[in-house]
Amino acid sequence: MKNPFKFGTLVDNQYFTDRIEELEQINRILNSPNHLILISPRRFGKSSLVKKAVTESKHPYISINMQQVTCIEDLASLLLKGVFRLHPWEKIKHLLANFRVMPTVSITPLGDNMEIGFQTASNISALLEDALSLVEKVSDEDNRIIVIFDEFQEFIEIEKDIDKKMRSIIQEQSKVNYIFLGSEESMMSDIFERKKSPFYHFGQLMRLKKIPYNDFHKYVNDRIKDVVTDNHDKLTEEILSFTSCHPYYTQQLAATIWDNAYYKKIKSEDLLTTSINQIIQSHDLDFERIWMSFNNTDKKIVRILSKEEKPYENKMLPTSTVYSSIRKMMKKGFLIKEDKYEVEDPFFRKWICERIP
Ligand SMILES: Nc1ncnc2c1ncn2[C@@H]1O[C@H](COP(=O)(O)OP(=O)(O)OP(=O)(O)O)[C@@H](O)[C@H]1O
Ligand SMILES: [Mg+2]
């Protein structure tokens, strides 16, 4: 038997659950001339969801992780590579003749890999425009290319006014759908919801939530009952209560429990505690390092939240201090907010409760 839980990489098929409404909504957008903006904290399942929606739509697509982009030349090169993956090089190479910054293309003898570079571009706007226009040129009204920009907020940082330039180019296009993904809530909101931003209301905005309890319960329970014969319902409840239905941490804990039950034959009543402790132990150094990087206010707030108390009700901390510390820690991903503020990582939360007096 194989562990039926998967965490850390994109999930699909038997590892993917729910998101039915979200898939329908994305599908509607991809079959319209509109663009999609998808925001959620880290590891909620943005990339998996979009990959599944785009694959099911059967549209050609180009996916670019903006964390790999440090300058416009990088972006242009990744766009071109994406285009050449969709269309044979011979058929469209003539379109490169119009490029104002000439690309250098090298192909391995077997044709299985391609490198595209640009001389350091003096005309950055022209390069961006030519690369994005190439995508539009090779796209087809009836089979529109989808361009996915993952971690889009990173892109804004690479150059001043780059958002203005990009927006002015892609707003003229009519044959490409763009999907912007981002995990930095505050920056993504700033890009797409601030009135003065060039990308203000540029597409339909979706905020991805955790996976609903009932669905995740069924998913975990159906898989765990193969290896836990008694009380698997209760164990599933305890898993979800510990992880608060966070997609990644739920899969991680369930995978560890499954291994402990199947390979180590740990008794069912010990499975939860043993597995949680194992995971905490494996991250001990990391948690210690993160904890040491916090200032005193951050530490106080994270401790309060770990105990599920409310930091704004703490008389010792001025509201403005609490606010700016929470903002900073949300930006770094240590805290998230759904109905209330919470420590993002349930294992770190437990580590704090146990180690910090
Ligand atoms: N629909 C789902 N069903 C079950 N598990 C899921 C689902 N979506 C995500 N997960 C779990 O969450 C993990 C992270 O998913 P994914 O990488 O798609 O999220 P992300 O939001 O793109 O993360 P990141 O912020 O790191 O880019 C997966 O490896 C999987 O364990
Ligand atoms: Mg992702």
Side-chain angles (χ1 to χ4, degrees):
M1 259 206 297
K2 209 167 105 194
N3 196 317
F5 299 102
K6 186 177 173 198
F7 59 99
T9 45
L10 301 201
V11 285
D12 197 1
N13 301 325
Q14 77 270 30
Y15 301 109
F16 187 98
T17 182
D18 188 56
R19 304 302 195 204
I20 295 160
E21 277 168 35
E22 291 89 345
L23 281 166
E24 281 172 7
Q25 199 177 341
I26 299 178
N27 190 33
R28 278 197 297 275
I29 298 172
L30 297 181
N31 285 311
S32 79
N34 299 315
H35 308 299
L36 167 70
I37 300 138
L38 183 63
I39 307 177
S40 84
R42 296 279 332 262
R43 296 183 284 203
F44 263 39
K46 295 176 294 299
S47 302
S48 302
L49 173 65
V50 163
K51 177 90 188 287
K52 190 174 172 68
V54 168
T55 312
E56 283 176 3
S57 80
K58 301 213 165 54
H59 284 259
Y61 69 91
I62 297 171
S63 181
I64 295 177
N65 185 345
M66 290 300 198
Q67 281 168 331
Q68 295 173 349
V69 171
T70 57
C71 56
I72 296 299
E73 289 90 335
D74 285 347
L75 179 62
S77 155
L78 289 169
L79 282 167
L80 261 64
K81 272 189 181 176
V83 167
F84 290 129
R85 221 173 285 126
L86 299 175
H87 294 273
W89 153 250
E90 286 74 22
K91 288 211 171 140
I92 55 166
K93 65 179 179 196
H94 64 280
L95 294 172
L96 293 185
N98 302 328
F99 265 60
R100 284 164 284 179
V101 182
M102 255 311 143
T104 48
V105 181
S106 50
I107 305 171
T108 50
L110 290 176
D112 52 355
N113 199 9
M114 169 182 278
E115 282 308 320
I116 299 174
F118 295 90
Q119 304 119 16
T120 308
S122 49
N123 192 346
I124 287 294
S125 301
L127 178 57
L128 186 63
E129 189 172 351
D130 289 347
L132 288 166
S133 304
L134 180 69
V135 183
E136 166 90 349
K137 273 186 201 146
V138 299
S139 188
D140 181 341
E141 189 77 63
D142 298 324
N143 192 20
R144 306 157 66 86
I145 292 183
I146 300 162
V147 176
I148 305 160
F149 290 130
D150 208 342
E151 300 298 351
F152 182 68
Q153 75 275 344
E154 304 276 324
F155 179 63
I156 301 301
E157 311 264 278
I158 71 172
E159 205 190 283
K160 193 172 178 297
D161 287 339
I162 193 67
D163 47 347
K164 257 192 211 146
K165 287 181 191 144
M166 183 184 248
R167 146 91 205 225
S168 71
I169 300 162
I170 62 184
Q171 72 174 354
E172 300 290 332
Q173 302 187 333
S174 59
K175 292 190 290 182
V176 183
N177 287 99
Y178 288 90
I179 301 183
F180 305 90
L181 306 184
S183 54
E184 264 204 37
E185 167 78 34
S186 57
M187 285 180 79
M188 288 294 281
S189 300
D190 202 48
I191 298 167
F192 294 102
E193 294 192 291
R194 188 172 47 89
K195 272 210 164 79
K196 287 198 171 149
S197 161
F199 277 101
Y200 176 66
H201 285 187
F202 191 67
Q204 186 161 337
L205 193 135
M206 272 175 77
R207 282 197 157 77
L208 195 61
K209 304 264 182 208
K210 291 174 182 169
I211 291 172
Y213 185 89
N214 288 345
D215 187 88
F216 228 176
H217 189 285
K218 183 170 172 10
Y219 173 88
V220 173
N221 201 31
D222 281 354
R223 286 157 180 76
I224 222 151
K225 67 180 175 214
D226 291 336
V227 289
V228 181
T229 41
D230 48 334
N231 279 332
H232 44 80
D233 261 322
K234 185 166 163 275
L235 180 58
T236 303
E237 278 166 30
E238 287 167 347
I239 293 172
L240 294 174
S241 152
F242 182 78
T243 62
S244 325
C245 291
H246 189 297
Y248 171 88
Y249 296 116
T250 305
Q251 292 256 24
Q252 183 187 25
L253 180 54
T256 311
I257 288 179
W258 195 95
D259 271 351
N260 281 332
Y262 185 65
Y263 294 113
K264 299 195 185 156
K265 312 280 180 237
I266 291 178
K267 285 197 297 218
S268 59
E269 61 267 33
D270 296 334
L271 276 171
L272 185 77
T273 316
T274 309
S275 307
I276 291 175
N277 287 341
Q278 256 172 25
I279 297 174
I280 292 180
Q281 227 163 40
S282 69
H283 292 289
D284 188 50
L285 279 178
D286 213 25
F287 291 160
E288 181 120 24
R289 186 185 50 77
I290 296 170
W291 181 255
M292 297 311 283
S293 74
F294 290 160
N295 68 28
N296 279 341
T297 313
D298 301 344
K299 283 180 179 164
K300 277 187 197 141
I301 288 169
V302 174
R303 241 164 68 201
I304 291 169
L305 287 171
S306 294
K307 291 191 212 144
E308 305 210 4
E309 292 164 6
K310 299 188 173 92
Y312 285 110
E313 286 172 7
N314 188 302
K315 302 267 180 308
M316 309 290 280
L317 293 165
T319 310
S320 60
T321 315
V322 174
Y323 179 74
S324 63
S325 167
I326 285 183
R327 240 178 91 96
K328 187 179 65 191
M329 285 193 287
M330 277 186 67
K331 198 163 179 319
K332 290 186 178 161
F334 297 126
L335 301 181
I336 55 173
K337 186 180 184 203
E338 278 225 320
D339 308 324
K340 54 184 177 25
Y341 293 108
E342 53 189 279
V343 177
E344 186 260 353
D345 180 343
F347 300 102
F348 187 37
R349 186 182 68 213
K350 189 157 195 295
W351 181 91
I352 294 167
C353 288
E354 284 174 357
R355 304 289 166 90
I356 310 297

